[in-house]
Amino acid sequence: MAASRYRRFLRLCEEWPVEETKRQRDLGSFLRQRVAQAFREGENTPISDPEACDQMYESLVRIHTNFYKNKYPRLKDTTFTGVTVEDCRMILATDILKQMEDMKKGTWKRLREKFSAKKPEEDLK
């Protein structure tokens, strides 16, 4: 029975898209890592709580198939601020977040990083 659960999770991982704009922060990548951890022995992995495993799988399927989005359709595809889904995707992209993080740095810290021969992490040691 563990083999069929493992195959179902693998199929879900194959279907789940990986969003390239969110490197290391993508739900698809996280799901793949967790499945690999949970099923270390592959089909031979013993499952201590089969009901919880099935429940988790069903929950992930509902997320993947947009079950609640389809069950409760929205009137508009914007938030209360008027930001669209595409705007949110762009803002949450890893590259944009890195740029915003760099902008938050103070002038002194930016200058120090620019002209320093050693890395800022070495200052903390």
Side-chain angles (χ1 to χ4, degrees), residues 54-110:
D54 292 340
Q55 190 176 28
M56 187 175 301
Y57 174 78
E58 293 301 324
S59 296
L60 289 169
V61 167
R62 283 193 296 271
I63 292 170
H64 176 62
T65 59
N66 292 322
F67 177 80
Y68 292 106
K69 179 183 178 187
N70 297 331
K71 186 174 180 179
Y72 304 106
R74 297 178 60 150
L75 299 176
K76 298 179 181 179
D77 286 336
T78 60
T79 62
F80 73 95
T81 61
V83 178
T84 64
V85 174
E86 286 305 314
D87 291 340
C88 287
R89 275 201 185 109
M90 185 184 73
I91 291 169
L92 293 174
T94 302
D95 297 335
I96 300 296
L97 289 176
K98 178 117 177 79
Q99 288 176 3
M100 290 174 59
E101 186 177 303
D102 290 342
M103 287 174 33
K104 286 183 187 176
K105 289 181 182 176
T107 306
W108 178 250
K109 189 170 185 176
R110 265 189 267 144

Side-chain angles (χ1 to χ4, degrees), residues 14-57:
E14 287 174 4
E15 293 174 5
W16 204 291
V18 175
E19 211 168 322
E20 293 299 324
T21 60
K22 295 181 181 177
R23 293 181 296 274
Q24 303 300 322
R25 301 179 303 115
D26 179 47
L27 185 58
S29 300
F30 179 75
L31 176 65
R32 286 169 180 75
Q33 290 172 355
R34 289 297 306 243
V35 168
Q37 287 174 355
F39 292 97
R40 285 190 183 110
E41 299 173 23
E43 294 181 353
N44 299 325
T45 303
I47 297 174
S48 60
D49 192 358
E51 291 84 23
C53 181
D54 292 340
Q55 190 176 28
M56 187 175 301
Y57 174 78

